[in-house]
Every structure is written in C-alpha cells, then in structure tokens.
Amino acid sequence: MDALWPKVQTFHPQLWRAVCGYELNPALREDLLQEVLLAIWESLPHLREPAMLLPFVLRIAHNLGASHVRSAVRAPIQVSFDGSLHDVADASGIDSAQRQWLFQALATLPINQRQPLMLQLEGFDYQEIAAMLGTSVENVGVRLNRARARLKILYGKEHAP
C-alpha cells in the first residue's frame, strides 16, 4: 500500500462531491467513485510532489468525470433526480433544496464550464484550476464567468415570480 493512501481517504468528501457533479444516478455514481479511487491508487506512485496530493486526486476525479459524461452523451439516459438518494458528504451549510438545485444546474453546464466551477467551489484559485485542467488562467476566468452567467439565468428562470 502506498504511504499516501490514508491521506487520500481523508479527501473522500471532495471526491464524492466531484463524482456527484458528473453523475446523478446513484448506482452509476458509486461506479464512477470506484473508478476514480482505482485510478488514484494506480497513479499514486507517479506523484512527484506529495504536498500537491489534493489537486492531483481532484484532477484525476474531474478527468474521469468528464470522460464519463462524454461517454454517457453517446447513450443518453434520463434519470429523475431523487434528493434522498443524492446525499453529499460535508454539505457545507446548504440545505437539501439548494444542494438539489445546484447539482441539477451543474448537470446542465457543458463540461468545460462545469469542471472549473466545481473546482472553484472546492476552494481552488484560478491558477490552481488552470494547472489541474491544463489551460491558461485567462481561460479559467472565461469559463467561470460563462458558468456563473448560465447559472444566474437558470436561477432566474426557476425563481421568477
């Protein structure tokens, strides 16, 4: 067992939120989480800077999540959202209705907007997000602005008087 594996296990809430951002179906979400954990396990020996473990594991999670969505687009299956099944570790002070809305709204965003927004929600700054996604800081800013604008429009449509 890799010496860093116990530390990876402490990142379970972040990994779970990442997986929830890509998959609403509970069974497929569990499969995706297992796939992410396996990829992390296999990749740990290649980590050069142990201090960068969290960005390393989240990059793996988001890359696999994006691949998962791309493959799901080829065979779309509509799954209704069941808030009781969509539990999220460490809810960060938001109620279940807000959490439900957020995950449904995130699912409507294109991958190139969803990824940086989810990473920003985890507390990463533009430079860290750019490094994880392999893009420029400016591009991260553009993607985040577009994602926030789209979420504002969605929120306005759903909460209009």
Side-chain angles (χ1 to χ4, degrees), residues 47-63:
L47 177 63
R48 293 183 191 150
E49 297 181 47
M52 300 298 292
L53 182 61
L54 180 58
F56 179 79
V57 300
L58 284 178
R59 183 175 189 166
I60 291 170
H62 283 279
N63 286 342

Side-chain angles (χ1 to χ4, degrees), residues 55-78:
F56 179 79
V57 300
L58 284 178
R59 183 175 189 166
I60 291 170
H62 283 279
N63 286 342
L64 285 173
S67 294
H68 174 78
V69 170
R70 280 191 294 272
S71 64
V73 167
R74 293 183 190 108
I77 298 172
Q78 295 295 323

Side-chain angles (χ1 to χ4, degrees), residues 54-121:
L54 180 58
F56 179 79
V57 300
L58 284 178
R59 183 175 189 166
I60 291 170
H62 283 279
N63 286 342
L64 285 173
S67 294
H68 174 78
V69 170
R70 280 191 294 272
S71 64
V73 167
R74 293 183 190 108
I77 298 172
Q78 295 295 323
V79 176
S80 61
F81 186 87
D82 183 349
S84 65
L85 296 175
H86 199 76
D87 57 338
V88 178
D90 184 26
S92 301
I94 62 173
D95 67 33
S96 63
Q98 290 172 319
R99 185 173 51 245
Q100 177 181 353
W101 182 87
L102 179 60
F103 280 115
Q104 285 178 324
L106 282 171
T108 68
L109 294 176
I111 290 296
N112 68 343
Q113 294 174 13
R114 188 184 320 176
Q115 282 183 309
L117 185 57
M118 290 174 62
L119 289 168
Q120 187 179 46
L121 290 171

Side-chain angles (χ1 to χ4, degrees), residues 2 4-5 8 35-48 53 56-57 59-61 64:
D2 194 287
L4 291 174
W5 186 249
V8 169
E35 187 178 335
V36 165
L37 291 171
L38 178 61
I40 292 168
W41 175 268
E42 291 173 342
S43 301
L44 276 177
H46 305 290
L47 177 63
R48 293 183 191 150
L53 182 61
F56 179 79
V57 300
R59 183 175 189 166
I60 291 170
L64 285 173

